[in-house]
Amino acid sequence: MTRRFAAALAAAASIGLSGLAHAGLGDLIFAVDSNIDVVATFEGNGGASYTSLLFLDHPDNPLPNIFNNQATAPGTEVNLGTFASGELKFGIEVYPDGLGGDLEAIYYTGPASRNPDGFTHAIVEELGGNTLRVRFEDLYATNDTYEDLAFTLTNAMALPVPEPRTWAMLLAGLGVLGLLGLSRRPARLVRAPLPEN
């Protein structure tokens, strides 16, 4: 492999895989140890005007209404229990006019494709020591402050999931590199004449 080709391959990989390098928008959440409880602690609502109810959508332990961003006191802890396997998929139900009004939307952690507006509505931050901070945005079709419902999780880890456009960029870059490799002609081998004895 030539140096130029290796450099181009490294550049394409760094561009295509940049979404895999850190925790953030669209990350998936998993329990670290199946023998240790996952504990959620409410941090606040950042001044949100809509009412949002946090829930956990998990086959082993579905939990409705973990926190209400307008009624739960910051610092409130909820033990979610243990989880042997599977993603901890959190969601919020959003009520613009309070709980007496109509449900506007449901948004989930993870990729934007899960949400009705095609936007990512949760950001996940790694705090160290198997602790995560999860912050939701409750406005339809916007990436605003991600402070409308915030909580931390213990015994949890985040795994980034690249969006389809990240995979498309990676595949396009690799395709271009493949075409470049095919279009190169093989070097001619020139033989030097052997000296006569």
Side-chain angles (χ1 to χ4, degrees):
M1 186 180 304
T2 68
R3 285 185 200 171
R4 198 176 329 161
F5 183 74
L9 182 59
S14 69
I15 291 169
L17 296 177
S18 61
L20 297 174
H22 63 280
L25 288 172
D27 288 355
L28 302 180
I29 301 168
F30 293 87
V32 175
D33 186 332
S34 62
N35 297 313
I36 298 175
D37 290 339
V38 174
V39 176
T41 304
F42 184 66
E43 289 195 333
N45 69 14
S49 58
Y50 290 1
T51 298
S52 296
L53 300 178
L54 178 72
F55 64 93
L56 175 61
D57 183 7
H58 190 278
D60 294 343
N61 195 8
L63 293 173
N65 304 334
I66 299 168
F67 298 129
N68 174 330
N69 73 334
Q70 299 298 334
T72 304
T76 300
E77 288 187 359
V78 174
N79 186 331
L80 305 179
T82 59
F83 299 88
S85 65
E87 175 195 357
L88 303 179
K89 183 169 83 171
F90 291 91
I92 58 170
E93 296 177 351
V94 179
Y95 298 87
D97 300 319
L99 290 179
D102 294 331
L103 173 67
E104 179 182 89
I106 297 175
Y107 303 121
Y108 292 97
T109 54
S113 57
R114 290 181 172 171
N115 296 316
D117 58 1
F119 280 72
T120 304
H121 280 269
I123 188 167
V124 180
E125 301 168 278
E126 295 179 2
L127 302 178
N130 295 329
T131 301
L132 301 176
R133 175 179 291 124
V134 182
R135 297 183 296 139
F136 272 96
E137 173 55 52
D138 65 6
L139 295 178
Y140 187 86
T142 187
N143 294 333
D144 193 20
T145 61
Y146 295 95
E147 294 177 354
D148 299 318
L149 191 150
F151 63 100
T152 58
L153 288 173
T154 61
N155 188 35
M157 67 178 178
L159 296 176
V161 174
E163 291 288 330
R165 66 177 172 251
T166 302
W167 286 111
M169 284 176 43
L170 176 63
L171 293 175
L174 291 175
V176 168
L177 291 174
L179 290 174
L180 288 173
L182 289 176
S183 66
R184 293 185 57 109
R185 295 183 184 193
R188 291 185 181 179
L189 184 58
V190 178
R191 294 181 188 227
L194 295 173
E196 295 183 20
N197 290 356

